[in-house]
């Protein structure tokens, strides 16, 4: 982790001119060597931060010392960034994009301090991950853009593991065990959608896998735990611009179904009365069919509400074409589907009968 040498220079009463003046730099090295020589175990501790001779002298020997020293001063004069890089503690490491931007954009910072920043970024994210604080994880994405490809895996290690754990959790959750895992409810009842949508491009594969797991889970739970399905589906809508087009299309279609069914469930008249009306309608249609010469298809009660569709029910080779061709606009109202000339669509297999 980053340790500002400015604290040590101040502790040793080393003036700025001794550090910025090349002719005086040799005197500064001798002073620092002398201080470490008399220090216990060769370590100088200041404010619970331990400094060793190798790091400090190595910094002074750097051919670009003047440039790096300037960055150290800028970081020292920006307390929020200093706390972030030295401690990475969420209580003090408040992301302040506007204050940090100029420093993080500096080429010297990118060359010499990028590793320290990436490590602090990863460590700080673990604090928010532990708390399921998706809001602050999303805020961290604002400065995540300053992390280059070389340090990407280091900076986003914890976030990648966290997203993959969510994918695994969704895959292993079903209608039998959904109420027994507290981690599942923590995902469901926290706003994970905005956080996932702000993850950088390097997460594309992880995000698509997460979306597929979420889509399939909403379908699994749509009958028994519709509130879970609706909640997860609402969060998945934040991913429409970052997942594959076919997944985005399915998320939209299924969410229309969940919202429509939710509205139907919350209708002003009682469920028993609604089922009674449906039964009467079906009975009337059956009687009409008996006395009619037309062969009107018969329908089950399940047909009165649209059903969400899982990824698993689709072929990977034909998913996009099937979605565009066969998924119809969700029927929000509780009306019976009328069709005499078009075959009934099986929403599970997408085959026309």
């Amino acid at each position: 982790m980053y340790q500002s040498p400015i604290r040590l220079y101040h502790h040793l009463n080393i003036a700025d001119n001794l550090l910025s003046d090349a002719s005086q730099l040799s005197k500064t090295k001798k002073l620092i060597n002398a201080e470490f020589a008399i220090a216990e175990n060769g370590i100088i501790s200041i404010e619970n931060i331990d400094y060793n001779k190798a790091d400090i002298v190595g910094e002074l020997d750097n051919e670009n010392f003047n440039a790096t020293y300037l960055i150290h001063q800028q970081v020292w004069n920006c307390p929020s960034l200093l706390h972030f890089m030295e401690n990475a503690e969420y209580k003090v490491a408040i992301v302040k994009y506007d204050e940090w931007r100029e420093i993080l954009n500096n080429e010297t910072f990118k060359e010499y301090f990028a590793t320290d920043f990436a490590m602090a970024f990863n460590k700080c994210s673990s604090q928010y991950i532990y708390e399921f604080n998706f809001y602050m994880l999303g805020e961290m994405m604002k400065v995540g853009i300053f992390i280059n490809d070389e340090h990407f895996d280091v900076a986003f290690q914890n976030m990648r593991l966290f997203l993959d754990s969510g994918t695994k959790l969704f895959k292993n959750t079903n209608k039998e065990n959904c109420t027994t895992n507290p981690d599942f409810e923590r995902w469901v009842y926290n706003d994970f959608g905005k956080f996932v949508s702000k993850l950088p491009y390097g997460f594309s594969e992880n995000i698509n896998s997460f979306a597929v797991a979420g889509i399939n889970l909403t379908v699994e739970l749509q009958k028994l735990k519709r509130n879970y399905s609706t909640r997860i589906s609402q969060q998945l809508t934040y991913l429409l611009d970052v997942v594959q087009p076919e997944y985005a299309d399915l998320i939209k279609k299924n969410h229309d179904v969940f919202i429509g069914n939710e509205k139907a469930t919350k209708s002003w008249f009682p469920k028993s009365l609604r089922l009674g009306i449906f039964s009467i309608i079906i009975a009337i249609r059956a009687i009409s069919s008996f006395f009619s010469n037309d062969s009107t298809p018969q329908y089950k009660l399940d047909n009165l509400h649209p059903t969400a569709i899982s990824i698993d029910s689709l072929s990977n080779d034909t998913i996009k074409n099937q979605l565009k061709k066969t998924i119809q606009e969700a029927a929000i109202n509780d009306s019976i589907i009328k069709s005499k000339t078009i075959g009934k669509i099986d929403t599970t297999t997408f085959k026309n009968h």
Side-chain angles (χ1 to χ4, degrees):
M1 293 292 293
Y2 176 78
Q3 294 178 336
S4 176
I6 304 296
R7 183 182 291 103
L8 177 64
Y9 300 151
H10 288 177
H11 177 74
L12 300 179
N13 296 316
I14 298 175
D16 290 342
N17 66 309
L18 294 178
L19 294 163
S20 58
D21 187 342
S23 64
Q24 300 293 323
L25 197 55
S26 60
K27 295 180 180 180
T28 304
K29 292 179 183 178
K30 291 179 181 179
L31 173 60
I32 289 176
N33 279 316
E35 291 290 343
F36 276 107
I38 63 175
E40 184 178 357
N41 299 322
I43 300 293
I44 299 178
S45 296
I46 311 168
E47 299 175 6
N48 296 322
I49 294 180
D50 295 334
Y51 293 92
N52 63 72
K53 177 181 174 180
D55 290 341
I56 299 301
V57 174
E59 180 81 20
L60 294 170
D61 287 337
N62 189 333
E63 61 181 7
N64 291 319
F65 172 75
N66 287 339
T68 58
Y69 177 61
L70 177 62
I71 297 298
H72 283 305
Q73 286 183 315
Q74 290 178 335
V75 173
W76 181 262
N77 293 326
C78 183
S80 61
L81 182 56
L82 177 66
H83 284 308
F84 183 88
M85 294 186 64
E86 286 192 329
N87 304 308
E89 295 179 359
Y90 70 102
K91 291 183 179 179
V92 294
I94 304 301
V95 175
K96 295 187 177 181
Y97 176 82
D98 292 334
E99 291 184 14
W100 300 2
R101 178 173 50 190
E102 183 178 351
I103 302 174
L104 300 183
N105 262 330
N106 186 285
E107 291 302 320
T108 302
F109 185 94
K110 294 177 181 179
E111 182 176 358
Y112 292 100
F113 300 89
T115 300
D116 291 328
F117 184 76
M119 292 174 62
F121 185 94
N122 187 55
K123 183 179 178 181
C124 188
S125 69
S126 67
Q127 306 281 350
Y128 296 127
I129 285 171
Y130 177 76
E131 295 182 340
F132 273 69
N133 192 336
F134 290 115
Y135 173 77
M136 286 306 300
L137 286 171
E139 285 293 294
M140 288 188 65
M141 294 302 101
K142 294 178 180 179
V143 294
I145 63 174
F146 295 108
I147 296 171
N148 56 33
D149 293 341
E150 181 182 355
H151 302 98
F152 185 89
D153 288 338
V154 172
F156 289 97
Q157 180 185 32
N158 286 330
M159 289 196 191
R160 193 185 299 278
L161 291 173
F162 184 49
L163 182 62
D164 290 346
S165 71
T167 302
K168 183 178 180 180
L169 177 67
F170 281 6
K171 284 182 177 180
N172 293 330
T173 300
N174 53 51
K175 55 190 177 183
E176 282 77 28
N177 64 20
C178 64
T179 59
T180 60
N181 192 333
D183 284 340
F184 172 65
E185 290 210 338
R186 293 185 76 187
W187 272 93
V188 172
Y189 291 112
N190 284 281
D191 295 330
F192 64 80
K194 291 182 179 179
F195 155 65
V196 177
S197 70
K198 292 179 180 179
L199 289 169
Y201 181 77
F203 277 81
S204 296
E205 183 177 344
N206 307 79
I207 294 173
N208 280 310
S209 297
F210 178 79
V212 169
I215 292 170
N216 289 338
L217 181 57
T218 59
V219 176
E220 164 76 14
L221 302 180
Q222 65 178 320
K223 299 291 186 182
L224 183 64
K225 291 291 184 179
R226 186 180 300 160
N227 59 321
Y228 285 161
S229 293
T230 303
R231 174 66 186 173
I232 296 171
S233 179
Q234 189 273 329
Q235 291 299 310
L236 290 177
T237 60
Y238 288 109
L239 310 185
L240 295 178
D241 294 331
V242 295
V243 296
Q244 293 178 201
E246 54 266 34
Y247 299 158
D249 195 13
L250 191 55
I251 288 171
K252 288 189 291 186
K253 299 292 185 181
N254 282 354
H255 191 59
D256 285 344
V257 171
F258 293 130
I259 295 300
N261 288 346
E262 188 78 6
K263 291 180 178 179
T265 302
K266 294 180 180 180
S267 178
W268 63 271
F269 52 89
K271 180 178 179 181
S272 58
L273 178 59
R274 186 167 64 253
L275 291 176
I277 293 174
F278 290 157
S279 300
I280 294 173
I281 293 175
I282 293 173
I284 292 174
R285 291 186 63 85
I287 294 172
S288 299
S289 175
F290 179 80
F291 289 104
S292 172
N293 293 328
D294 295 330
S295 56
T296 304
Q298 296 184 9
Y299 300 91
K300 297 179 181 180
L301 186 60
D302 288 344
N303 295 118
L304 295 173
H305 294 288
T307 303
I309 303 156
S310 70
I311 294 291
D312 294 339
S313 66
L314 305 174
S315 166
N316 289 333
D317 296 331
T318 61
I319 179 173
K320 190 171 183 179
N321 291 333
Q322 291 282 23
L323 281 169
K324 291 182 178 179
K325 180 180 178 181
T326 61
I327 298 180
Q328 304 300 317
E329 292 296 330
I332 305 302
N333 59 351
D334 290 325
S335 61
I336 297 177
I337 303 171
K338 297 181 179 180
S339 174
K340 291 186 179 181
T341 60
I342 302 178
K344 185 177 106 177
I345 295 177
D346 184 333
T347 57
T348 303
T349 62
F350 280 87
K351 293 180 181 179
N352 288 329
H353 297 286

